[in-house]
Structures are given as C-alpha cells and as structure tokens.
Amino acid sequence: MLLIKNGTILTMIGEPIENGQVLVDNGKIINVGKDISGTENCQVIDANGGFVMPGIIDAHCHIGMWEEGLGIEGSDGNEITDPATPQLRAIDAINPRDIAFTEAYENGVTCVCTGPGSANVIGGQFTTIKTKGIRIDNMVLQQTASMKVAFGENPKRCYNAKKQSPSTRMATAAILREYILKTKNYMENKEKNSSFDMKLESLIPVVKGELNVKAHAHRTDDIFTAIRIAKEFGLKMTLEHCTEGHLIAEELAKEGFTAIVGPSFGSKSKVELREKTFETAAVLHKAGVKIAIMTDHPVIPVHHLPMCAALAVRAGLDEETALKAITINPAEILGISEKVGSLEINKDADIVIFDKHPFDIQAKTICVLIDGEIVFKR
C-alpha cells in the first residue's frame, strides 16, 4: 500500500483537493480525498505542496515508430510501397527501448496512442500502450486502438514522387471509398468465397463501426472530405491534427466528431500548416467540440505535452479544459477512461507529482507511478 500526501490533487473529475491524499494498493487507486490514512506499513510519498494529477496521455504520436537518433534503421512508421496498408500493426514496429519512452514517463507521460504515419491513404493500426516496459506485449492497453487514414498533402506528395496514384485529393478519397466498398462486398460474400484477404479482414471492424478511424486532416477541405466519407459509410471517426479547425469550428460542432489537435508548436513547415496556431484548441472547445491535445512525436518530443497544453492556455483555452485535454479527454476519446485519465477509485494508479503547477515551464516531476509502481523519483 502507498499513500501520497501533502499535495493539491487534480482529479480531473471535480474541484482540486487542497492538501489531499491518494491511496494506492495492488496497482489501483483505492481512495482519493482528505484525511486518508494508510496501514501501519504503508509507504508514504510526500508531495511537499506540489501538484498530484493523473498520468498524462498523448492520444496521437509515433513514439517507438521513429526512434530517437537512428535515421532509417529506426524509421518504421510509413510503408510507402502501397497507398492502402490496413493490415499493418504498430505493435510489430514499436521499440520500447527507444530513449523517448524514458523521457516520456520521467516527465509524466504515462500512456500514448502510437502508430503509422500519414504517407498512405490507409496507413494501418494504432495501438495504445503504457510508456514503461521492456516488452511491448506487456505494455498494451489496446492492441488495435484505431485505423489510420490520411487526407491532403502527405499521400499526394509521397505517391506523386513515385508517379502513381494518389497524386490528387480526388484519388485519395476514391482509394478510401474503394477499400470500404471492397470490404463490404467481401463481408457479404465471405461464406461463398473461401479466399482470404488480410487487408479487407483488417477493415471489417472499421466498416462495422467497431474500430475508430483516425483521420489525418489539416486543411478545412480535407476535414470536410473526411467527414463526408465517414457519414457516407457510417464510420466512427476522430479528426486528427484539425489544424484549420478554428476556421470552421461551428460546422465541426454541428457534426459531433472529436478533435485531437496539434502539433501546434514549431514552424509552418508545409502549405497545409499556414494557419497553424495554438488558438485552435480554444476556439474548437468554445464552439462545443470535444478536444485532446497531441504532440505528434517526434514532431514535438512527447514529454513536452504539458508545455503544449500550457501554450493553448496562453492562447485562450481555460486551464481546466487544457488539463483535461491531456488526461481524461484523450482517455475518453480513445475508449480507455475506465482505466486511466483521472484520479478515481478502482482506476490504474498512473499518477504524476509535480513540484509546481504542471503548466509552469519550470515545473519538474517529483515522482511518477505507472500501475502503482514508482517508475521515476527525483
């Protein structure tokens, strides 16, 4: 049993608890509040007036897929040989020994959804994992978390260079429709046809609405194309990046899709990013769109996710929503909120203690727990 005391508890489900406590046992949170006492042999962690919050969650990154400092040998995120690769699984490429994982959990990022890049129209399957471990199979929360699809500049650029389709936005949309329709036909004729198609098998949960589509879209027209196709086929979908979302916030609010916003830090490195701003999250939230904030690691190193949320606050997002955008909101969007994202009884004891408010640029982690185990202590 472990007791965290003398901290401001940011539960993500209610008001902060001043000078509160969190009690942990067998990897789970068993109590949160004031005046909690542990057993006689209970291990005590003194937060020393710091801030105690749930482990931080990045709902869209590529950690372990593009490894730090390795170049082509550590680059396993884009299979640029076929514009439709739904059969690819991130779990087969993630290297837990990537130093970025250590930097992640030491700085309070305890859970990530990571997967293929956006070179292909259909890139493959994302997976959700805890950030501490030596064997990927033992880190998994969701082996198949979502199916990556991409609109706009990236598929065009990659396949135009190869002189093949898609080299236009029309072809990108057509390829996605083609594979959805092929999958529907495959499902209808499966009993009569004994031939096995791994690509179409991988898309069956998408067509059934059981598996979320992670739709890479920066520009307004690409966002609307993603929505058009999702509505056409009844797909479950999240809008990823949503860089120009602030320009169409009212329209997006009407549609009801959630947005995983970012990476908003850094230069406008391509045409699609010319409207990039940290104001996007605030404008979308105020319009009624549910948001999470991402790093798109390695675009922004994953351990800087709190900084990205803080910059969104400076650009107009309220502090409470910004905290939720890196904790409970991504957990709910990913479908893992029964385990992580807030400090509640029976949830995984993924807990971070900061010496200052997590949005203070000088804040440091005092202690980090994953599944009740202390994985870092300063």
Side-chain angles (χ1 to χ4, degrees):
M1 192 171 286
L2 184 151
L3 179 69
I4 300 170
K5 66 177 187 177
N6 296 334
T8 298
I9 314 297
L10 306 173
T11 66
M12 300 300 124
I13 58 164
E15 293 297 316
I17 303 171
E18 301 290 339
N19 195 28
Q21 294 92 36
V22 181
L23 189 62
V24 172
D25 194 28
N26 291 323
K28 299 290 183 181
I29 297 168
I30 61 171
N31 207 346
V32 182
K34 280 182 171 285
D35 304 318
I36 298 169
S37 58
T39 63
E40 186 177 334
N41 298 320
C42 182
Q43 181 181 0
V44 175
I45 298 176
D46 193 336
N48 288 312
F51 289 80
V52 182
M53 67 178 290
I56 295 165
I57 302 169
D58 193 335
H60 181 128
C61 68
H62 309 283
I63 189 171
M65 305 287 289
W66 275 272
E67 297 175 51
E68 297 287 288
L70 283 186
I72 186 60
E73 179 52 37
S75 177
D76 288 299
N78 277 322
E79 179 67 31
I80 315 179
T81 56
D82 181 345
T85 55
Q87 76 278 19
L88 302 186
R89 301 175 183 179
I91 193 172
D92 297 322
I94 301 165
N95 182 7
R97 290 184 60 80
D98 180 0
I99 188 64
F101 281 106
T102 303
E103 293 174 337
Y105 70 74
E106 286 186 351
N107 288 278
V109 180
T110 58
C111 181
V112 295
C113 189
T114 183
S118 50
N120 294 345
V121 179
I122 309 175
Q125 302 165 34
F126 267 60
T127 189
T128 307
I129 57 176
K130 300 290 181 82
T131 52
K132 180 73 166 68
I134 58 172
R135 181 175 178 175
I136 191 65
D137 309 78
N138 299 332
M139 300 161 67
V140 169
L141 272 177
Q142 298 168 303
Q143 180 166 315
T144 305
S146 54
M147 182 67 71
K148 177 69 175 291
V149 302
F151 297 88
E153 188 173 330
N154 286 10
K156 278 184 52 163
R157 184 182 67 250
C158 291
Y159 285 91
N160 182 63
K162 296 166 71 69
K163 304 298 181 187
Q164 72 177 84
S165 184
S167 60
T168 65
R169 282 177 164 82
M170 292 184 294
T172 295
I175 288 169
L176 181 55
R177 283 192 177 97
E178 177 187 2
Y179 271 88
I180 293 170
L181 290 168
K182 279 182 176 179
T183 303
K184 289 171 75 72
N185 184 65
Y186 179 77
M187 290 164 61
E188 290 167 4
N189 296 285
K190 201 171 179 183
E191 290 185 9
K192 294 180 281 184
N193 189 349
S194 59
S195 63
F196 176 82
D197 190 315
M198 191 170 180
K199 287 186 177 183
L200 302 184
E201 285 285 342
S202 300
L203 284 169
I204 288 174
V206 172
V207 171
K208 285 184 173 181
E210 298 168 352
L211 182 63
N212 180 66
V213 170
K214 215 169 179 60
H216 165 112
H218 288 284
R219 243 168 53 170
T220 57
D221 55 341
D222 294 322
I223 294 168
F224 285 136
T225 298
I227 292 172
R228 186 179 313 116
I229 294 174
K231 291 171 73 174
E232 186 177 334
F233 295 104
L235 305 180
K236 181 183 174 186
M237 183 181 74
T238 52
L239 297 169
E240 311 287 317
H241 304 301
C242 207
T243 302
E244 293 189 358
H246 57 285
L247 303 178
I248 51 171
E250 298 300 329
E251 289 293 323
L252 296 184
K254 292 176 192 174
E255 297 293 350
F257 293 99
T258 55
I260 302 176
V261 179
S264 303
F265 187 78
S267 65
K268 298 173 175 65
S269 57
K270 56 183 179 177
V271 174
E272 289 181 331
L273 304 182
R274 61 189 174 190
E275 300 287 349
K276 182 168 74 170
T277 170
F278 271 104
E279 294 175 5
T280 304
V283 174
L284 287 172
H285 169 68
K286 288 170 185 175
V289 178
K290 186 170 188 171
I291 60 160
I293 294 173
M294 65 145 106
T295 64
D296 205 24
H297 178 100
V299 179
I300 301 170
V302 68
H303 59 279
H304 290 319
L305 185 52
M307 177 193 71
C308 295
L311 289 169
V313 172
R314 190 175 73 175
L317 186 63
D318 67 277
E319 190 174 275
E320 180 184 359
T321 302
L323 283 166
K324 288 182 175 180
I326 58 172
T327 53
I328 190 61
N329 283 10
E332 290 175 349
I333 290 168
L334 294 171
I336 54 173
S337 59
E338 78 284 356
K339 292 186 175 181
V340 295
S342 60
L343 298 181
E344 295 182 73
I345 293 171
N346 294 326
K347 285 198 176 184
D348 294 354
D350 294 357
I351 303 170
V352 188
I353 307 172
F354 285 96
D355 62 350
K356 298 180 177 66
H357 191 280
F359 291 165
D360 187 324
I361 196 66
Q362 297 185 63
K364 295 179 181 178
T365 50
I366 298 172
C367 187
V368 180
L369 285 75
I370 296 180
D371 293 323
E373 177 189 348
I374 298 173
V375 296
F376 176 73
K377 196 169 185 180
R378 194 171 298 279

